[in-house]
Amino acid sequence: MRLRNKPWAKDFMEEHPDILINEDEEVVRDWKGIFNNENPIHVEVGTGKGQFIIGMALANPEINYIGIEHFDNVIVSALEKAIEAGKPSNLRLLRGNGAHMEELFKQGELDRIYLNFSDPWPKTRHAKRRLTHESFLARYERALKKKGEIHFKTDNRKLFEYSLVSISAYGMILQEVSLDLHVEMPEDNIMTEYEEKFSAKGQPIYRLEAMFNN
Amino acid sequence: MRLRNKPWAKDFMEEHPDILINEDEEVVRDWKGIFNNENPIHVEVGTGKGQFIIGMALANPEINYIGIEHFDNVIVSALEKAIEAGKPSNLRLLRGNGAHMEELFKQGELDRIYLNFSDPWPKTRHAKRRLTHESFLARYERALKKKGEIHFKTDNRKLFEYSLVSISAYGMILQEVSLDLHVEMPEDNIMTEYEEKFSAKGQPIYRLEAMFNN
């Protein structure tokens, strides 16, 4: 993603602590307190400009959603969208690093993790940075309830091939696989910004659901 | 595959018992005796017109290959090709039903099973007939050595999606996945007749390698 410099980003984020949380705030790890209910928690790692997580929050008010994004200049776009959407009470944006999941969530706290159009890190020496590398799967497994699920979409063929093998090698069970999601679009599919763009070009969108076998 | 009636097929097959074996012959189940060596045995279930298995036999003389095909009118084309190729001593064509693997092979006798462009059986009520249905996976597991492998190619997206889920649910480990095989064609890829045809039309070829986790 091309990152434009947005010098106003920091101030703008600080003006909306009711929906945007920084990973170094003390409140982190008290998600039940933040949402003030016992509803299931679904997390998107790498939430980008937020179209997916905000759409999900609006469509499913009985589920709590947290969108994690590392880059200030990207998460401010998600923040703008969330404000436009009326700041749904079941949504929080978390400015932080997906690799820090151990500090961000208690063990077994989450019900589902979404990965959408993650950076493919095509070079083999960068494989560890892919969000479906075994080191990330181990973080997800810890943060998720037993038999927790990952839902993953991408347009990147090589990343999807890698992810199928990585997820299988980890001992996870593939529950759903689509190799051209938009041919038979599920009614409840909420598109990301990337998904709209690549799908409009006729590129296939790959999707899987996998369950930890623990 | 369109099946033309070939009234001469039966006589022609009976003239070449040195390379074509019928599943009801007594010799079946003594494959070491048939090949007269201890080399690994690789089987293709649904060998069609034989281009793949004959190509493999010629390319890898230190491996024994058995191509199983149910239909007389198809296997005679494989027989013709095998004769043209000089009847490689490490190749046998087996006229029979892949569902009869328990009668065709001893437990743990095989090293690898190939499935190429198998019938997709698209209707849900026919799922049991797909060669990657769990009932077939159980047959392959029995006939293969421990940690035995299945190598599977198809142009059929829905069959491949189904197969990824079925193989994963069975507890097998995906070792390799390609969602567009011909983009980075492996040097040792031997094409089937279908593969040549569909690939020439620009359709992606899907391929996986999976290992039984036993």
Side-chain angles (χ1 to χ4, degrees):
Chain A
M1 188 178 297
R2 187 166 150 261
L3 299 179
R4 277 175 298 186
N5 190 28
K6 296 178 181 172
W8 46 271
K10 213 172 166 60
D11 289 344
F12 180 54
M13 288 194 292
E14 282 175 8
E15 286 164 22
H16 299 278
D18 51 340
I19 190 145
L20 192 143
I21 297 171
N22 203 299
E23 68 173 348
D24 56 17
E25 289 181 49
E26 274 191 34
V27 67
V28 164
R29 292 177 62 96
D30 180 24
W31 292 103
K32 283 197 200 316
I34 289 171
F35 288 114
N36 199 24
N37 62 41
E38 300 281 325
N39 289 348
I41 301 175
H42 294 188
V43 166
E44 185 185 24
V45 182
T47 214
K49 296 182 180 177
Q51 179 165 302
F52 176 81
I53 200 80
I54 294 166
M56 292 296 278
L58 294 173
N60 305 291
E62 74 295 351
I63 297 172
N64 296 321
Y65 290 93
I66 303 169
I68 306 179
E69 176 54 52
H70 190 51
F71 293 110
D72 287 357
N73 294 344
V74 179
I75 202 170
V76 289
S77 297
L79 177 55
E80 287 173 327
K81 282 203 190 87
I83 293 167
E84 272 172 46
K87 295 188 179 177
S89 65
N90 62 330
L91 171 69
R92 292 297 182 281
L93 301 173
L94 175 57
R95 196 209 146 281
N97 188 331
H100 301 163
M101 292 201 77
E102 197 157 348
E103 290 89 60
L104 302 177
F105 303 106
K106 296 189 191 81
Q107 188 170 346
E109 185 168 23
L110 307 183
D111 290 80
R112 187 180 293 173
I113 288 174
Y114 289 100
L115 308 172
N116 291 314
F117 298 84
S118 314
D119 193 324
W121 292 108
K123 290 179 183 163
T124 304
R125 71 171 189 274
H126 292 149
K128 281 187 185 176
R129 302 186 190 177
R130 297 175 194 153
L131 289 187
T132 48
H133 185 273
E134 64 174 330
S135 61
F136 278 98
L137 298 181
R139 291 177 181 120
Y140 307 150
E141 183 176 26
R142 182 199 149 278
L144 284 163
K145 287 198 171 64
K146 298 280 172 200
K147 309 278 180 193
E149 293 179 9
I150 293 178
H151 292 200
F152 173 46
K153 289 195 280 195
T154 182
D155 65 304
N156 190 286
R157 179 174 56 79
K158 302 292 282 182
L159 178 64
F160 199 72
E161 293 169 349
Y162 167 86
S163 300
L164 286 165
V165 170
S166 175
I167 281 169
S168 179
Y170 197 84
M172 297 182 74
I173 309 294
L174 292 166
Q175 299 182 294
E176 288 262 347
V177 177
S178 172
L179 302 176
D180 199 352
L181 183 65
H182 291 204
V183 171
E184 292 154 336
M185 178 87 91
E187 276 181 34
D188 58 354
N189 186 53
I190 293 195
M191 287 206 267
T192 76
E193 290 87 348
Y194 274 109
E195 189 171 353
E196 284 188 341
K197 188 171 129 186
F198 289 116
S199 178
K201 289 184 186 172
Q203 289 178 233
I205 305 298
Y206 306 104
R207 182 176 182 280
L208 66 81
E209 296 180 9
M211 185 182 77
F212 284 100
N213 193 18
N214 54 5
Chain B
M1 189 179 301
R2 185 164 153 260
L3 299 178
R4 279 173 298 185
N5 190 27
K6 296 179 180 170
W8 47 270
K10 212 172 168 60
D11 289 345
F12 180 55
M13 288 194 293
E14 283 175 4
E15 286 163 21
H16 299 278
D18 51 340
I19 190 145
L20 192 143
I21 297 171
N22 203 299
E23 68 173 349
D24 57 16
E25 289 179 49
E26 276 190 31
V27 69
V28 164
R29 291 178 63 95
D30 179 23
W31 292 103
K32 282 197 200 315
I34 289 172
F35 288 114
N36 199 25
N37 62 42
E38 301 280 326
N39 289 347
I41 301 176
H42 294 188
V43 166
E44 185 186 24
V45 182
T47 213
K49 296 181 179 176
Q51 178 166 302
F52 175 81
I53 199 82
I54 295 165
M56 292 296 277
L58 294 173
N60 305 292
E62 75 295 349
I63 297 171
N64 295 320
Y65 290 92
I66 303 171
I68 306 180
E69 176 55 52
H70 191 50
F71 294 109
D72 287 359
N73 294 344
V74 179
I75 201 170
V76 289
S77 296
L79 177 54
E80 287 174 326
K81 281 202 191 87
I83 294 166
E84 273 172 45
K87 293 186 178 177
S89 65
N90 61 331
L91 171 70
R92 292 297 182 280
L93 301 173
L94 175 56
R95 194 210 147 281
N97 187 332
H100 301 164
M101 291 200 80
E102 195 155 350
E103 290 87 59
L104 302 177
F105 303 105
K106 298 188 189 81
Q107 189 171 346
E109 186 169 23
L110 307 182
D111 290 79
R112 189 179 293 173
I113 288 174
Y114 289 100
L115 308 172
N116 292 315
F117 299 84
S118 313
D119 193 324
W121 292 107
K123 290 179 183 163
T124 304
R125 70 171 189 275
H126 291 148
K128 282 187 185 175
R129 302 185 190 179
R130 297 174 195 153
L131 289 187
T132 48
H133 184 271
E134 65 175 328
S135 62
F136 277 98
L137 298 180
R139 292 178 181 117
Y140 307 149
E141 183 175 28
R142 182 200 149 277
L144 285 163
K145 288 196 169 64
K146 298 280 171 198
K147 309 278 179 192
E149 291 178 11
I150 294 178
H151 293 199
F152 173 47
K153 287 195 282 196
T154 182
D155 65 303
N156 189 285
R157 179 174 55 79
K158 302 292 283 183
L159 178 63
F160 199 73
E161 292 168 350
Y162 168 86
S163 301
L164 286 166
V165 171
S166 174
I167 281 170
S168 179
Y170 198 85
M172 297 181 74
I173 309 294
L174 292 167
Q175 299 182 293
E176 288 261 345
V177 177
S178 172
L179 302 176
D180 198 352
L181 183 63
H182 292 203
V183 171
E184 292 153 337
M185 178 88 91
E187 275 181 32
D188 58 353
N189 186 52
I190 293 196
M191 287 206 268
T192 77
E193 291 87 348
Y194 275 107
E195 189 171 351
E196 284 187 342
K197 190 171 126 187
F198 289 115
S199 176
K201 290 184 187 172
Q203 289 179 233
I205 304 298
Y206 306 104
R207 182 176 182 281
L208 67 81
E209 297 180 10
M211 185 183 77
F212 284 101
N213 194 17
N214 54 5

